[in-house]
Amino acid sequence: MQDVVLAMLAKEPAHGYELRSRLRAALGPLGEAMNAGQIYVTLTRLGKAGLVTSQRAEGLPDRPERRVYALTPEGQQRVANWLTEVSWPKPDLAEFHLKLVAAATARLADPVALVDAQRREVLRRLRDAQRAALDRSVDPVAGLLLEGVVLRLRADLEWLEACERLWTERGPTGRKAGA
């Protein structure tokens, strides 16, 4: 989130509400759940890290004063580094895998039941993302993001099927059945 906020400030200084509006526009329906407080917490952290500065801007007669944020040279460098970094979204598959192993090892829960609960959540998210992607009023750029989300969720479902197959074969303790 920090790098995205910095990048949104690279064009011009802005106040938190403007940044939130820009992010919501860029994310389309996925940005609807964005908490306004998250932007301000992020801006505070970026200020403490020396990546942004802020100053009060006088408000209009019908609006209060606002704090306008701008990048520092260090912030500009971080944006440049972030834009040239080649990365791929990192799913929390490793964390979920460790949850399965820990649950089986300590006999805290049935791994197949955990997989089933995770599958239901992924299916819910997939359904929501597909609905949003089909909305013709969605900006094509945000639509592309939604398409990526749908594809990732489908891949997660396939992985969960593989998890279920393995844990069904091995049983709730993680050991191969009959071993």
Side-chain angles (χ1 to χ4, degrees):
M1 178 72 161
Q2 290 184 359
D3 291 317
V4 173
V5 169
L6 287 171
M8 292 287 178
L9 285 171
K11 180 181 176 188
E12 62 188 354
H15 55 78
Y17 183 80
E18 285 176 308
L19 290 171
R20 181 173 179 235
S21 295
R22 289 180 197 170
L23 285 168
R24 288 177 77 175
L27 295 173
L30 296 177
E32 295 302 319
M34 183 179 298
N35 181 343
Q38 187 178 5
I39 298 291
Y40 292 101
V41 167
T42 300
L43 287 167
T44 300
R45 287 183 182 149
L46 292 170
K48 288 179 181 176
L51 300 171
V52 299
T53 60
S54 66
Q55 59 184 349
R56 290 212 174 269
E58 288 191 29
L60 299 173
D62 60 335
R63 293 188 197 153
E65 286 186 0
R66 294 190 172 165
R67 187 163 289 283
V68 175
Y69 297 85
L71 292 180
T72 63
E74 293 83 7
Q76 291 169 347
Q77 184 59 51
R78 180 157 161 185
V79 170
N81 293 342
W82 180 65
L83 292 175
T84 59
E85 175 185 287
V86 177
S87 65
W88 190 246
K90 300 168 190 85
D92 287 340
L93 298 181
E95 181 181 340
F96 183 71
H97 178 76
L98 292 173
K99 182 189 293 187
L100 291 175
V101 172
T105 303
R107 298 179 188 225
L108 298 171
D110 177 9
V112 175
L114 294 175
V115 169
D116 190 49
Q118 187 73 14
R119 180 188 304 111
R120 283 193 306 274
E121 177 60 19
V122 170
L123 283 169
R124 184 190 65 75
R125 290 180 183 188
L126 177 61
R127 190 174 47 251
D128 292 347
Q130 286 174 324
R131 263 193 223 122
L134 291 173
D135 184 353
R136 297 291 173 215
S137 67
V138 172
D139 176 69
V141 175
L144 190 59
L145 172 63
L146 288 167
E147 183 179 343
V149 168
V150 166
L151 293 171
R152 295 278 320 243
L153 290 169
R154 286 181 184 161
D156 286 350
L157 282 174
E158 287 184 39
W159 182 74
L160 288 169
E161 294 298 325
C163 288
E164 183 178 48
R165 282 191 304 274
L166 177 99
W167 287 100
T168 301
E169 287 173 11
R170 293 189 170 260
T173 63
R175 293 193 179 92
K176 206 164 187 125

